[in-house]
DNA sequence: ACACCTCTCGCAATTTTTTTTCGCTATGAC
DNA sequence: GTCATAGCGAAAAAAAATTGCGAGAGGTGT
C-alpha cells in the first residue's frame, strides 16, 4: 500500500481518467504528448499496480429515483473488535449505504445513505440501527444541497 | 430532473456500468440478452438523458499519497443566501475537498477532505475555515477505516 | 378492421479504438 | 566497452464501437 512513484506522464493520465475514463487513449496521447501505445502501457500498469482501483459510471440520484442523501453519525455501545466488525459488516452490506467511515472523536461512524424518500430512511433506521443492539444512538442530517460530490483527488 | 422511466434492460445495464463501466457493450449485451447495437443505443440514451452523469476512474488514496480522509462539520455565522453561496463556492473549489453537503440540523455543512498528512489538513483549516469570517466553528473527525466508499446506488 | 406512425429490435457493414508486436534508443551496472 | 533493462514510436492485428437498414410489435385514428 506504499505510495507509488508516478512520473509526470502518469499523473497527467490519472488526472484525465479521474474526470473521464471514456477518453480514448489516442486523445490522452495527444494531450500528454506520448504515443498511444505508451499511454496504453502506462494505463495497463496503473491498473496492475492498483493505483486505479475501479472504473465506474456515476448516475443522477434524482433521475433514478433516489433524490435524498442523508448523513448519519453513529455511536456504538462497545468498541470491542468483534462487535465493531459486526457493525462494519452490517453497514457495508446495506445497498442504500454509499459510504461509511469509522472515525476518531465523539462519534464512531459517519455514514452516507441514499434514499428515495424519508419513509425509506425510517425503514433503514429500523433495519440497521434500532435492530442492532450495539448501536447506542445516531444523529441524522438531511442534505439540502449536494454542494460537491466526487472522489476526485489532487494528483501531484 | 424528474425520475426517468427505465425498463428492466436499462436497469440491468446501469447496474453493470455502476460497477464497471469498462465492460464491453458486447459483454453487456450477453449479460442482459440484447444485441450489442441495442445496448449501445440504450447507453447512448442514458447519457443523453442525464441518467449517467459521469464516467470516472477511482484511484487508490494511499497509492497516490493521500492516505487520510477527514470528515468535517462546519457551522456558519450567517445563513443569508449571499454568504451561504460564498461558503459553498469556496468549499466546492478546493481540490482537497471531495464532497460537501449542506445539511439540516445542528451543523450546516458536512465535508469530506482527502489529505496526505495532518499538516496538510492544518494548512487547509487555515486557508478555508479560519480565513473565512462566515465560518463560526468546525469539528474534525479523522477516518481510521474507510469501511465503504462508493457512489453505487440501488437501481430498482 | 385497416392503414399509419413510432419505437426498438437484430443483423451486417463500416469505422474507430485497443492491443500486440517489432525494432530502436537511452540508461545504468559491471 | 558491453550487456541487460526499460521505455519509446510506428505499424499490424484484433476487438469494439457505431451506423444503416429492414422488420416486427404496439398504439392511434379513421
Amino acid at each position: 500500500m506504499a505510495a507509488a512513484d508516478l512520473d509526470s506522464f502518469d499523473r497527467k493520465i490519472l488526472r484525465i481518467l479521474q474526470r473521464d475514463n471514456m477518453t480514448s487513449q489516442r486523445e490522452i496521447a495527444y494531450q500528454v504528448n506520448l504515443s498511444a501505445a505508451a499511454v496504453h502501457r502506462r494505463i495497463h500498469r496503473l491498473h496492475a499496480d492498483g493505483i486505479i482501483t475501479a472504473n465506474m459510471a456515476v448516475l443522477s440520484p434524482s433521475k433514478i429515483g433516489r433524490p435524498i442523501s442523508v448523513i448519519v453519525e453513529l455511536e456504538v455501545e462497545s468498541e470491542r473488535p468483534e462487535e465493531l466488525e459486526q457493525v462494519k459488516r452490517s453497514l457495508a452490506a446495506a445497498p442504500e449505504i454509499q459510504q461509511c467511515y469509522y472515525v476518531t472523536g465523539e462519534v464512531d461512524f459517519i455514514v452516507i445513505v441514499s434514499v428515495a424518500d424519508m419513509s425509506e430512511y425510517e425503514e433503514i433506521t429500523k433495519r440497521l440501527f434500532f435492530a442492532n443492539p450495539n448501536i447506542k444512538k445516531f444523529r441524522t442530517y438531511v442534505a439540502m444541497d449536494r454542494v460537491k460530490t466526487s472522489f476526485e483527488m489532487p494528483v501531484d
Side-chain angles (χ1 to χ4, degrees), chain A:
Chain A
M1 275 298 157
D5 52 332
L6 306 165
D7 67 14
S8 137
F9 289 118
D10 291 324
R11 290 194 292 268
K12 274 188 201 163
I13 292 171
L14 288 174
R15 279 194 283 268
I16 294 169
L17 292 182
Q18 261 195 121
R19 287 197 177 276
D20 179 7
N21 74 351
M22 303 293 264
T23 313
S24 75
Q25 299 180 353
R26 177 190 292 199
E27 168 67 18
I28 296 172
Y30 171 76
Q31 286 190 37
V32 307
N33 261 56
L34 275 178
S35 70
V39 168
H40 174 253
R41 280 187 290 261
R42 282 167 182 270
I43 292 178
H44 185 81
R45 184 168 48 73
L46 292 168
H47 273 105
D49 293 354
I51 291 155
I52 297 174
T53 59
N55 285 285
M56 55 179 298
V58 181
L59 311 186
S60 158
S62 53
K63 296 256 171 89
I64 66 162
R66 312 199 135 253
I68 301 180
S69 290
V70 181
I71 294 97
V72 191
E73 298 174 356
L74 298 175
E75 287 176 48
V76 298
E77 206 70 62
S78 151
E79 297 203 56
R80 294 227 325 280
E82 316 88 77
E83 321 264 12
L84 212 51
E85 281 310 312
Q86 186 274 325
V87 172
K88 287 185 186 179
R89 270 197 308 276
S90 141
L91 295 173
E96 303 90 347
I97 292 189
Q98 293 190 313
Q99 299 171 55
C100 172
Y101 301 88
Y102 175 51
V103 299
T104 62
E106 293 130 71
V107 303
D108 299 304
F109 288 95
I110 294 175
V111 166
I112 299 185
V113 191
S114 165
V115 292
D117 51 44
M118 289 316 286
S119 77
E120 182 179 353
Y121 178 60
E122 196 198 342
E123 188 271 319
I124 291 169
T125 62
K126 288 185 197 158
R127 195 179 86 226
L128 292 177
F129 307 153
F130 288 117
N132 192 326
N134 195 28
I135 290 187
K136 184 159 61 178
K137 56 183 285 194
F138 64 91
R139 183 179 301 147
T140 301
Y141 298 97
V142 179
M144 292 180 279
D145 184 0
R146 264 183 231 97
V147 179
K148 183 178 192 176
T149 57
S150 80
F151 280 142
E152 230 179 293
M153 43 184 105
V155 184
D156 36 35

